[in-house]
Amino acid sequence: MKTAIIYTSWHGTTESIAQTIAEKLGSENCQIINLKKQTKINTDNYDHVILGSSIHAGNISGKMKKFISKNTLTLLQKKLGLYICCMDPNRELIQFETAFPDILRKHASAMAILGGEFKMEKMNFFERLIVKKVSGITESKSKIKTEEIEKFIHDFKN
């Protein structure tokens, strides 16, 4: 069974989680697709689809929103996994619900909020300023939820 792991990532966290998921599912059966680099994807070529996105200013990327909008009916015919990466534990559930339409959340066999990272060295001046103002964090910080990644993979396999 072929699996497409389709993601958007600002500073690489969602991408590295996509790679981890692919390795644990068996990377020979997975194709990792970055929507920022490849926008035309034939989902008919895959039996399973996993969508992952980072959250910035409370939202997923416009490219992911557009992909979901154009492919909702096809995604409902696939085994589906959904995940987000975010750093706001107080709003992560709302952000997840906002990221993916209700119809896809009800259909998904695996869903997860996998934490996130602030990679200050990859941010521009304004991003660092906003992160400092909103969160008070001034240096790189990781809050990846490795146990949630394992649970997500387990749920997706079963």
Side-chain angles (χ1 to χ4, degrees):
M1 298 285 188
K2 285 217 41 118
T3 301
I5 302 173
I6 303 167
Y7 73 93
T8 55
S9 186
W10 285 88
H11 300 112
T13 301
T14 310
E15 178 179 24
S16 65
I17 289 175
Q19 291 169 347
T20 298
I21 291 169
E23 289 167 14
K24 295 195 182 248
L25 288 176
S27 54
E28 66 280 353
N29 296 321
C30 293
Q31 183 174 0
I32 301 170
I33 302 166
N34 182 346
L35 277 179
K36 287 185 177 180
K37 295 178 181 174
Q38 183 178 345
T39 56
K40 295 185 184 203
I41 301 161
N42 185 355
T43 54
D44 291 335
N45 295 333
Y46 304 97
D47 304 298
H48 308 137
V49 176
I50 296 173
L51 301 178
S53 184
S54 56
I55 299 290
H56 281 269
N59 293 299
I60 61 173
S61 76
K63 289 184 187 285
M64 181 60 79
K65 286 180 185 178
K66 186 175 179 180
F67 177 82
I68 290 169
S69 177
K70 286 176 66 176
N71 293 283
T72 298
L73 293 177
T74 305
L75 293 170
L76 290 171
Q77 298 170 22
K78 310 288 180 183
K79 184 171 186 178
L80 183 64
L82 306 170
Y83 75 92
I84 62 167
C85 295
C86 67
M87 288 290 285
D88 187 349
N90 297 321
R91 297 190 35 82
E92 64 187 13
L93 190 55
I94 292 167
Q95 291 170 338
F96 186 87
E97 291 172 353
T98 303
F100 302 109
D102 186 53
I103 193 167
L104 291 184
R105 292 193 320 271
K106 287 180 179 174
H107 176 71
S109 58
M111 298 185 291
I113 300 165
L114 301 177
E117 295 178 308
F118 287 135
K119 294 181 176 181
M120 297 301 192
E121 67 279 2
K122 292 191 175 188
M123 293 181 189
N124 65 37
F125 173 78
F126 294 107
E127 289 171 322
R128 287 191 306 270
L129 187 67
I130 290 167
V131 166
K132 182 179 178 182
K133 184 170 180 79
V134 171
S135 69
I137 294 173
T138 58
E139 51 190 48
S140 293
K141 184 170 188 152
S142 179
K143 290 185 179 181
I144 301 295
K145 299 177 182 178
T146 53
E147 290 177 11
E148 289 296 319
I149 295 171
E150 294 297 327
K151 182 182 179 314
F152 177 81
I153 292 164
H154 176 268
D155 291 349
F156 191 74
K157 284 182 176 179
N158 296 323

